[in-house]
Amino acid sequence: MSEATQDSVEEQQFLRDDWYGEEITGRHYVRCDFREVDLSEAVTRNSVFTDCVFGNVRFNASRHTDSAFTGCAFKRCNFFDAEFTGCKLVGATFSECELRPLRVTGGDWSFAGLAGADLRAVTFQGVRMREADLTGANCGGAVFADVDLSGATLHAVKLSRAELRGSDLSALDPLNAELAGAIVSPEQAAVLVTSLGLRVRA
């Protein structure tokens, strides 16, 4: 992802703007406030949002490629059918957001705050989520494939029927998570068994 951007906007407020279907390429927004903005079916490419606040923003069916939303706060936003590909959301926080269905491919979501989020049936594929906060998140039926969850906060996370193969589960305490029906590889199973203090012998 290129950090070089064409336009830079700092500390501006956007209130009830209609950006439906807009293509946002090579822009940089710093500490901006987006309130009730319609970004449905919008497309961002190589754009950077730094320390911005999004309140009641509609991201429905939006597509984001090689963009960054670092340190951004999302409050009561709707991400229905949104896609993020190769994007950086390091330190982003989500509160009272509609995140289903959401598809994330590649990129870096380390330190993201998703505590208590409803992530049922969402897809994270090949994403870095180091030290992300998934405390109490409902990830039933979700896909976390080849995801780096090292150091993540996973207390009381619900992963029933989730696809977890290829992901780093070293931070997961099976005694403090719901794992019924979750799909893991033999190697991951060994990690989980070890975390329970058990030893496997042939």
Side-chain angles (χ1 to χ4, degrees):
M1 180 176 63
S2 173
E3 294 293 337
T5 53
Q6 300 169 3
D7 304 305
S8 181
V9 179
E10 297 187 17
E11 299 181 352
Q12 286 195 19
Q13 184 178 66
F14 301 89
L15 179 62
R16 300 190 184 92
D17 285 13
D18 183 2
W19 290 6
Y20 180 93
E22 182 165 340
E23 293 202 10
I24 301 169
T25 303
R27 300 187 201 172
H28 191 186
Y29 296 90
V30 182
R31 296 182 300 280
C32 290
D33 194 356
F34 298 83
R35 302 284 176 177
E36 299 181 42
V37 175
D38 187 1
L39 279 163
S40 300
E41 298 191 29
V43 175
T44 72
R45 293 189 182 90
N46 296 304
S47 290
V48 180
F49 298 81
T50 305
D51 298 329
C52 294
V53 175
F54 296 85
N56 291 298
V57 173
R58 292 182 293 281
F59 289 92
N60 307 50
S62 59
R63 302 291 180 262
H64 308 274
T65 304
D66 296 331
S67 291
F69 297 82
T70 53
C72 291
F74 299 92
K75 303 176 182 179
R76 297 181 297 280
C77 295
N78 194 321
F79 290 88
F80 178 82
D81 201 32
E83 291 185 3
F84 290 84
T85 304
C87 292
K88 181 186 292 185
L89 282 88
V90 174
T93 58
F94 299 81
S95 58
E96 300 179 68
C97 292
E98 173 58 63
L99 296 165
R100 306 173 54 221
L102 173 70
R103 290 179 296 280
V104 181
T105 305
D108 192 346
W109 288 53
S110 297
F111 304 97
L114 290 158
D118 185 355
L119 297 171
R120 288 174 295 164
V122 302
T123 297
F124 287 90
Q125 174 80 46
V127 184
R128 175 179 287 188
M129 299 185 75
R130 291 183 179 179
E131 298 190 51
D133 186 357
L134 289 161
T135 302
N138 188 349
C139 304
V143 174
F144 286 86
D146 301 313
V147 173
D148 183 356
L149 287 165
S150 57
T153 303
L154 301 170
H155 182 74
V157 67
K158 299 176 178 66
L159 291 165
S160 301
R161 305 176 310 283
E163 165 63 78
L164 304 173
R165 284 178 292 184
S167 294
D168 185 330
L169 302 179
S170 57
L172 180 63
D173 179 358
L175 295 178
N176 287 300
E178 293 183 16
L179 295 168
I183 302 170
V184 298
S185 67
E187 293 78 14
Q188 290 170 312
V191 170
L192 295 174
V193 167
T194 300
S195 69
L196 288 171
L198 303 177
R199 289 186 292 177
V200 179
R201 291 181 178 174

